[in-house]
């Protein structure tokens, strides 16, 4: 009988796992340097949590089931909704702003394709209760710093403020269903489809003035200098003024963070009603159709679940796509520091004692467990790319010493067992 892994999933072997762990640790270091703290939520939640957030239509994309108590459960498709649930359960009385981050696997029942799997990982954050351009700028800065630390040099951060387009909708009294439908079209990024929906045979909005403004607006992409063009186009509509001012303040804050790696892109949208402020996406062009590696913005999600009006700014990296963007993985350091090798049977058990002492002093240590002959054991250590082999011989051991071999240079030295760990760590 042959067992294969489930469709849309992957196995990660040693080197790939070490590279993923390296990237994970870089992101942790960056997030913690901004004073974000890690949380963990369950891998499965009540189905209603996600249908409340995204509508019943999301069920077709979920791994959902009834448990033995007949409760409707689903494997989480993302972690933003669980964070909102956690906030309502545990953090409502915590002083704000609350800075948290998470890393975990998510699940969607979709057709697997290149760059898209049924089990995938997200690394993201939430800044809860700090709705302001200053808070948004810090989150954007943390996102950019993460990309820089990972050595991804071609990333493009595209920023919009949804308050501008929502202000236009309010001015022209567009009903909520039409707004939602149009935002979904904008979110797809297909400008031809959008233009067809506005100026085609059956326009979604029967208002030529608004349609013309929207088409011009979503075509606006550029550096911070295009803010003047935005004002010229929509600044006379009173309902957009506050959002344009917030976008100006965000630009000033980003200047303070020395963040220049971004574009204002009025065509970026998140197609859900609870987004209230800035939205942004990160693209890495060489990834082609899967170029978006991050999405985020400012939203009021907690209210949807029955809480107070508490706004959050957050984003999530698609961890797997980040890994694809790192074209040349860093040369991995050996996963062990030393290989303890008894020269003969007389020192067999003493080698275990020495290995234990090294491990207790912070040296990652392998010990020969296969009783190979000496030359074969050295060849095995060389295949492992271990930097040091500790050769345990009877004559040296009687003097309280061992022979330490540098596998890169071939040099050998006699080292006291008492300082062996320090000697290895000094040379690493």
């Amino acid at each position: 009988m042959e067992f294969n892994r489930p469709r849309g999933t992957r196995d990660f072997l040693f080197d790939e796992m070490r590279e993923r762990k390296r990237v994970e640790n870089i992101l942790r270091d960056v997030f913690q340097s901004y004073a974000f703290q890690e949380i963990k939520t369950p891998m499965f939640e009540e189905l209603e949590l996600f249908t409340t957030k995204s509508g019943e239509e999301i069920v077709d994309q979920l791994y959902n089931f009834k448990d033995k108590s007949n409760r409707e459960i689903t494997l989480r498709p993302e972690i933003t909704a669980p964070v909102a649930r956690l906030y309502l359960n545990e953090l409502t009385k915590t002083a704000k702003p609350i800075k948290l981050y998470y890393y975990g696997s998510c699940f969607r029942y979709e057709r697997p394709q290149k760059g898209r799997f049924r089990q995938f990982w997200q690394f993201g954050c939430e800044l809860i209760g700090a709705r302001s351009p200053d808070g948004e700028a810090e989150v954007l800065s943390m996102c950019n710093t993460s990309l820089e630390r990972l050595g991804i040099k071609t990333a493009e951060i595209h920023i919009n403020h949804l308050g501008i387009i929502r202000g236009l909708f309010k001015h022209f009294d567009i009903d909520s269903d039409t707004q939602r439908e149009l935002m979904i079209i904008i979110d797809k990024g297909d400008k031809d489809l959008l233009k067809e929906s506005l100026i085609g045979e059956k326009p979604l909005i029967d208002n030529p003035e608004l349609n013309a403004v929207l088409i011009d607006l979503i075509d606006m992409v550029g550096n911070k200098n295009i803010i003047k063009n935005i004002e010229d186009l929509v600044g006379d509509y009173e309902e957009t003024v506050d959002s344009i001012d917030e976008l100006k303040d965000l630009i000033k804050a980003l200047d303070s963070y020395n963040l220049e790696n971004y574009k204002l892109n009025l065509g970026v949208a998140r197609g859900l009603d609870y987004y209230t402020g800035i939205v942004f996406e990160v693209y890495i062009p060489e990834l082609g159709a899967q170029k978006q590696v991050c999405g985020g913005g400012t939203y009021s999600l907690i209210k949807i679940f029955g809480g107070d009006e508490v706004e959050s700014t957050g984003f999530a990296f698609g961890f797997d796509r980040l890994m694809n963007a790192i074209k040349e993985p860093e040369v991995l350091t050996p996963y062990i520091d030393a290989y303890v090798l008894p020269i003969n049977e007389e020192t067999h058990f003493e080698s275990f004692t020495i290995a234990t002492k090294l491990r207790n002093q912070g040296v990652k240590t392998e010990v020969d467990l296969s009783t190979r002959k000496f030359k074969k054991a050295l060849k095995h250590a060389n295949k492992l790319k271990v930097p040091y082999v500790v050769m345990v011989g009877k004559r040296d051991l009687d003097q309280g010493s061992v022979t330490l071999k540098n596998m890169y240079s071939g040099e050998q030295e006699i080292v006291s067992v008492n300082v062996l760990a320090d000697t290895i760590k000094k040379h690493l």
Side-chain angles (χ1 to χ4, degrees):
M1 183 180 294
E2 181 180 358
F3 294 98
N4 296 315
R5 64 176 182 265
R7 188 166 183 245
T9 64
R10 293 155 293 166
D11 296 314
F12 301 112
L13 293 180
F14 308 123
D15 286 348
E16 188 173 5
M17 199 63 223
R18 290 168 64 207
E19 177 65 6
R20 289 174 71 91
K21 184 62 68 173
R22 181 186 74 85
V23 172
E24 176 190 338
N25 288 337
I26 289 173
L27 293 176
R28 287 182 190 280
D29 287 345
V30 172
F31 282 39
Q32 290 172 9
S33 74
Y34 280 76
F36 282 70
Q37 300 182 82
E38 186 174 14
I39 55 98
K40 189 76 73 176
T41 66
M43 203 169 289
F44 58 90
E45 298 270 2
E46 293 181 0
L47 176 62
E48 190 178 5
L49 182 70
F50 298 102
T51 56
T52 299
K53 173 179 180 264
S54 302
E56 293 291 336
E57 58 271 17
I58 196 177
V59 174
D60 290 340
Q61 303 172 31
L62 303 181
Y63 276 94
N64 60 296
F65 55 93
K66 288 186 177 181
D67 68 10
K68 293 181 179 180
S69 295
N70 214 35
R71 289 173 292 227
E72 289 278 4
I73 299 296
T74 185
L75 299 180
R76 64 189 182 196
E78 44 87 8
I79 307 181
T80 306
V83 168
R85 193 263 312 145
L86 178 146
Y87 170 82
L88 287 169
N89 291 165
E90 309 286 350
L91 298 173
T92 55
K93 295 182 180 179
T94 302
K96 297 177 184 60
I98 302 169
K99 292 181 170 183
L100 58 87
Y101 75 92
Y102 53 82
Y103 174 63
S105 56
C106 302
F107 305 84
R108 283 185 182 262
Y109 192 79
E110 297 179 316
R111 184 173 65 86
Q113 53 187 293
K114 183 178 180 181
R116 189 182 295 273
F117 301 93
R118 289 179 171 175
Q119 182 184 14
F120 56 95
W121 279 258
Q122 287 187 345
F123 202 118
C125 68
E126 301 276 349
L127 176 59
I128 300 175
R131 164 76 160 95
S132 70
D134 291 347
E136 292 169 337
E138 179 166 274
V139 168
L140 281 161
S141 174
M142 186 168 73
C143 178
N144 186 62
T145 301
S146 298
L147 296 165
E148 288 179 343
R149 296 279 176 85
L150 292 173
I152 299 175
K153 299 178 180 179
T154 58
E156 301 173 356
I157 302 175
H158 287 236
I159 304 170
N160 189 13
H161 194 307
L162 287 187
I164 297 173
I165 194 169
R166 293 200 191 282
L168 289 172
F169 289 153
K170 183 177 180 181
H171 180 85
F172 288 96
D173 196 24
I174 305 301
D175 66 84
S176 58
D177 288 342
T178 303
Q179 288 188 38
R180 188 178 301 112
E181 188 173 351
L182 189 61
M183 293 300 284
I184 290 172
I185 294 172
I186 295 173
D187 190 32
K188 291 179 179 178
D190 188 336
K191 293 185 178 180
D192 290 335
L193 176 62
L194 177 62
K195 290 175 182 178
E196 176 64 25
S197 70
L198 293 174
I199 59 176
E201 292 183 5
K202 296 181 179 179
L204 189 61
I205 298 174
D206 186 19
N207 188 310
E209 180 185 350
L210 174 58
N211 291 343
V213 170
L214 288 174
I215 289 172
D216 287 343
L217 191 68
I218 64 164
D219 278 335
M220 286 191 174
V221 181
N223 62 25
K224 59 189 177 183
N225 294 326
I226 71 166
I227 196 75
K228 178 66 166 58
N229 299 6
I230 297 170
E231 285 186 294
D232 290 343
L233 180 65
V234 300
D236 290 337
Y237 300 104
E238 184 179 351
E239 294 86 348
T240 69
V241 172
D242 288 345
S243 297
I244 294 173
D245 287 343
E246 287 182 357
L247 193 55
K248 289 179 180 178
D249 289 341
L250 175 67
I251 290 169
K252 291 177 183 176
L254 292 177
D255 287 344
S256 299
Y257 281 100
N258 296 318
L259 199 163
E260 298 179 349
N261 179 36
Y262 70 89
K263 292 181 180 178
L264 298 183
N265 183 345
L266 279 293
V268 170
R270 313 293 286 174
L272 295 166
D273 293 342
Y274 54 78
Y275 279 91
T276 58
I278 69 151
V279 291
F280 65 95
E281 294 177 347
V282 177
Y283 308 131
I284 299 178
E286 55 265 39
L287 295 183
Q290 305 296 331
K291 68 179 181 178
Q292 184 182 332
V293 299
C294 177
T298 294
Y299 36 81
S300 182
L301 183 58
I302 291 166
K303 187 177 180 180
I304 292 177
F305 297 124
D308 295 332
E309 183 72 59
V310 180
E311 290 185 297
S312 305
T313 302
F315 68 84
F317 283 118
F319 191 82
D320 303 284
R321 292 187 186 179
L322 273 185
M323 296 304 303
N324 292 337
I326 301 172
K327 289 185 175 179
E328 299 179 3
E330 187 174 281
V331 176
L332 294 174
T333 57
Y335 75 97
I336 51 176
D337 302 322
Y339 188 94
V340 178
L341 173 60
I343 291 179
N344 49 47
E345 289 186 9
E346 291 180 279
T347 59
H348 179 76
F349 292 107
E350 285 85 349
S351 68
F352 299 158
T353 302
I354 291 171
T356 299
K357 184 177 290 189
L358 288 173
R359 290 164 179 161
N360 289 341
Q361 295 181 69
V363 178
K364 293 174 287 186
T365 303
E366 175 69 284
V367 63
D368 181 60
L369 300 175
S370 302
T371 61
R372 296 179 176 88
K373 290 185 178 180
F374 182 73
K375 286 187 177 180
K376 285 188 176 181
L378 272 182
K379 285 184 179 180
H380 178 66
N382 198 46
K383 287 181 181 178
L384 297 178
K385 298 181 180 178
V386 59
Y388 288 97
V389 169
V390 178
M391 296 182 288
V392 185
K394 183 68 168 61
R395 186 182 303 172
D396 289 340
L397 206 56
D398 287 342
Q399 305 298 317
S401 301
V402 291
T403 298
L404 183 65
K405 180 180 177 69
N406 185 317
M407 294 296 286
Y408 299 148
S409 68
E411 295 179 357
Q412 298 183 180
E413 59 179 315
I414 304 298
V415 179
S416 167
V417 172
N418 293 331
V419 298
L420 179 60
D422 290 339
T423 302
I424 293 171
K425 287 190 284 188
K426 183 176 68 175
H427 292 319
L428 287 174

